[in-house]
Structure formats: structure tokens, C-alpha cells
Amino acid sequence: MVKYQEIANELRNQIQEGVYKAGEQLALEREMCEQYGVSRITIKKAVDQLVKEGLVVKRRGSGTFVKSLANEDVHDISMANQFSGFSKVFEGHKVSTKVVRFDIIHPTAEVAEKLNITTDDFVYDIVRLRQVDGSPVVIEYTNMPIELIPGIKREVLEKSIYRYIEEQLHFKIQSAHRFIRALLPTPEEEELLQIEHGTMPILEVEQVAFLDDGRAFEYAKAHHRGDKQVFRVVSIR
Amino acid sequence: MVKYQEIANELRNQIQEGVYKAGEQLALEREMCEQYGVSRITIKKAVDQLVKEGLVVKRRGSGTFVKSLANEDVHDISMANQFSGFSKVFEGHKVSTKVVRFDIIHPTAEVAEKLNITTDDFVYDIVRLRQVDGSPVVIEYTNMPIELIPGIKREVLEKSIYRYIEEQLHFKIQSAHRFIRALLPTPEEEELLQIEHGTMPILEVEQVAFLDDGRAFEYAKAHHRGDKQVFRVVSIR
DNA sequence: GAGTGGTCTAGACCACCCC
DNA sequence: GGGTGGTCTAGACCACTCG
């Protein structure tokens, strides 16, 4: 662990434990330099991390201040803005997966463009129903180029494709570009998600995911039951 | 404009104009130092900006590479992750506002906690219907402490509260913490948004917005017609 | 005017990737 | 082993806030 992360963690803990309360001013950057025995740029990197997480604001000419956050929001704030696959989000719960479809097809023109391949290439065409603690939560429609992500078997789908990519293929996942919408479920989706007709919308998360060399490796649409998923973001000017 | 922003803009333009294509490697950081006549940290800050925007990836030991993005996504990428009020988003369109409610009340316990005030304080209680080019698009439910944001009149509501806060009160808006969900509209909302019953979901954006001194100044829920709004995010590991 | 964070320098060493 | 980006230093000056 590098210095600026350690300092960021320490400051985050102090805020979450109430050492610094809502609205209070943090120690000055030049003071923290002495306190931690590091240079000012290192302190800046640490505090900038907290700004990105949404815990504090910096004002040139004044100082750094803790945001007036509700108690509940102070504690799980560092989870916002974060990238993670489905299995990761529900760690600790009993997650099961039903593979609804598992084929190889030519991608549509739209998917081909998103993945930077041609419609002559091949992609997996995967549909999975995810259940958490026995209740259906989300349907995931996934396309991945077989050339980039070879060797996917049914047992991989039943666990985590991301874990397979990182642990078996030794790729690193870098980012995801997401579009979020509200939709109504199709009749098939109502059945899979156990929704009584007309009583529940779908939160759609469309995403293109990227490896750390910049290649797009996944085009996916996740259709979440409206009552089971909330998407969280901290937007800074 | 500072150096690192100018360099970031120049690099972004080069990528958008195809000087650097998908998958290609950018000049090395040490090369760019000479090219632009700046130090390495300045180059790093510029390139890190593009990483945050989702245009490139950096790999220690290898270099910096342009992401394999679809053409459409390369060009408006810098708009993602950004904070902006409603009026800003629809700049250039004919926006009209119908003030449905404009009262002053005590906040609910939930809202009071989010705004860091008590239920004995007062907040504006505002409901507005926003129309773009004549079509209803979103209903905004807004609470703001009257003490922090005094002097709001009906004509402010019909334009932009944010512009009033920045231009009249001379506050700066720093950030918004958002929760995004899918909902079904209430009968009243169906009427206001001209939705035929049961044919369209709502994309709810719940947010607490903050001034640059860290104070929460707004609790709002925006209920967007499902067909009129997409929320866009770039998530990085 | 005093004090804050923002930017920038010129250099060093480290962790990691690829040959 | 050679080259990449990541971190860090010790210092300087600038832009801004506030009394």
C-alpha cells in the first residue's frame, strides 16, 4: 500500500468515526505534511481521493471541509462510483445462476461496433437469470468475442465470467461505460423475474466493458427488477 | 486555462479526429514532456484526465492506449460523469416549466437528515413539470432550506434554480450524490407526463446536492419519462 | 495582507511488462 | 535488461478567500 492511500484511508476513518464532523475543517495540507512526514503533493493526492469519493470539499483560499452528509451516507460512500461485477456486489449472499441461453452467433451491427469487431466475427450469446437468496433479481444478456475471451464453459457462467477472465485468462478489467434506463419487462422477463404483469419496471444497465489494454471485451444489458437494484453515483462538477 | 488542461484538450481532439485511432499507443510521457516543454507530472495530470473520461487506458510497463470505443461514443464522451442541472442538459431546446406546487413546509425526518437540518427548520416544497419542445419530460420534486437559499420566487422556478444560486446568491455548486431507480408512475404522474396507464416506467434520480463549502442545499427527486432520459456513467476500477 | 489550495518543476526511485 | 507508467520529494509561484 502506498503512502497517499494509507493517508486517505486514515482520513476516511477519522471522518466516518466522527473525529471530523459534518462541516468541520480538516487540518491544513501543510500541517498534514509535517504530521505524516510526506510532501505536499502526497497529501494532495490523498485528499483528492476523498473529494472523488464525495466525503469532503476543497476551497482554494479557505481549506478542506467535511461534507454535510447524512450518517448513513457517510459510511458506505466509498462504494459509490465503483466498478464491480454482479457476483462481487452480492458477496456474502447466496447467489445462484440459471443459464437461459448459451450460444455462439455473429454479432448484430450495433454490438459489433461497440466491441470493435465485424459482423463476420463470432461472439458468445449468453442469457443468465441471477437469483439472490432464492429470489430472482436480474437477467443478464451478454455478448463477448470468442477470440478475445476463449474457452467459456457452462460452469464459468454459473459462477463469474469476470473471475474467469482475471484468474484463468490473467486479464485485468479496467472500466465499464454504462447507460442506465427504465423499461417495462417483456412477458418472458416477467415470468423469469416472477413479476406480476404490469406491477414492476426494469432498471436497465447497458454496458461496454474494457480490459486494461483498452480492448472492449463485453457488451451486456442487465435487466434488474425495479425493487432490487439502486444505482449510485457521486457527480462532481 | 492551465497547461495540463490545454494538453488534455489537445490530446482529446487528436483522438476524436482520428490522429490516434482505437487501440493505438500514445506518445510516451517522457516524449510528451519534451514535445510540450513541461514536466512529467503535468503530462500525467493531462493523461489522467482522459483516463477519467474513459478515452484511454494506462498500463505500467507498456504505455498509454486509446480505448476501442464505438465512433459515436468517442465524440460525446467528455459529457459523461458530469454534473449539471436540468436547464443545462437541454440547452438549445425550447424548455418550459409548469410550477405544480410552491410551498414552505417543515421537512420530513428523512429529508431533514439528508440536508443536515432539523424537522423544526423550514424548506421550500417545490413540484415542477418540465417540458422540452412541448413534450412533458420530467417531474421534479425539490426541497431546499429557506435559510440557506433565501428569496426564491415563482419566476426563479420557471427558469433555473441553479442559475439563481450561482448568479444571484454567488454560491458555487460542487457536487451531487445520486441514487437511480426504476419506478412506476402514480396516476397523477401519468397525467402530468401524458403517459397512457401502464405503458411507461419512470427513471427516478434522487439526489442531494452540495455547495462548494460542503453544505447540502438540495434534496430532490426527478421522475423522468422512461423514454426521454438515459443516465450515463464511466466506471473505473 | 495573510493564508489557503492549485499548478508546476527537475529530479529520483520503484513496480511492472515485455523481450 | 531495458523501458513503461506510478509514486514521491523539496521547493516555487499563482489564484483565490477573507478579514
Side-chain angles (χ1 to χ4, degrees), chain B residues 164-214:
Chain B
Y164 172 77
I165 290 172
E166 301 212 300
E167 294 175 7
Q168 302 302 311
L169 300 180
H170 301 292
F171 286 147
K172 282 181 195 152
I173 297 169
Q174 191 255 357
S175 62
H177 293 214
R178 295 178 168 139
F179 294 90
I180 300 162
R181 295 181 199 84
L183 300 175
L184 293 179
T186 65
E188 298 76 35
E189 289 177 331
E190 286 180 341
E191 196 179 329
L192 285 170
L193 291 171
Q194 294 176 18
I195 294 171
E196 194 185 327
H197 179 67
T199 62
M200 174 98 51
I202 293 290
L203 185 71
E204 178 185 79
V205 180
E206 177 190 6
Q207 74 170 22
V208 180
F210 295 84
L211 299 177
D212 81 333
D213 61 3

Side-chain angles (χ1 to χ4, degrees), chain B residues 80-99:
Chain B
N81 288 343
Q82 208 164 270
F83 175 78
S84 51
F86 177 86
S87 308
K88 188 89 179 179
V89 172
F90 290 101
E91 235 165 34
H93 289 79
K94 195 176 145 294
V95 171
S96 66
T97 301
K98 185 186 168 193
V99 178

Side-chain angles (χ1 to χ4, degrees), chain B residues 126-187:
Chain B
I126 299 161
V127 180
R128 293 182 292 175
L129 174 68
R130 305 287 210 147
Q131 295 175 292
V132 174
D133 298 331
S135 304
V137 161
V138 58
I139 304 171
E140 296 184 330
Y141 303 87
T142 308
N143 287 160
M144 295 183 169
I146 61 168
E147 203 160 329
L148 189 52
I149 313 291
I152 289 189
K153 307 278 185 246
R154 177 171 284 261
E155 69 237 40
V156 170
L157 302 185
E158 285 167 351
K159 294 174 183 167
S160 165
I161 299 182
Y162 284 12
R163 195 168 303 140
Y164 172 77
I165 290 172
E166 301 212 300
E167 294 175 7
Q168 302 302 311
L169 300 180
H170 301 292
F171 286 147
K172 282 181 195 152
I173 297 169
Q174 191 255 357
S175 62
H177 293 214
R178 295 178 168 139
F179 294 90
I180 300 162
R181 295 181 199 84
L183 300 175
L184 293 179
T186 65

Side-chain angles (χ1 to χ4, degrees), chain B residues 28-30 40 44 58 60-61 172:
Chain B
L28 302 182
E29 294 191 350
R30 285 167 179 85
R40 183 147 160 251
K44 273 180 58 55
K58 296 168 98 169
R60 188 193 309 214
K172 282 181 195 152

Side-chain angles (χ1 to χ4, degrees), chain A residues 93-111:
Chain A
H93 290 79
K94 195 175 145 292
V95 171
S96 66
T97 301
K98 184 187 168 192
V99 178
V100 179
R101 191 163 75 219
F102 180 29
D103 296 323
I104 290 181
I105 61 169
H106 290 294
T108 64
E110 186 206 6
V111 172

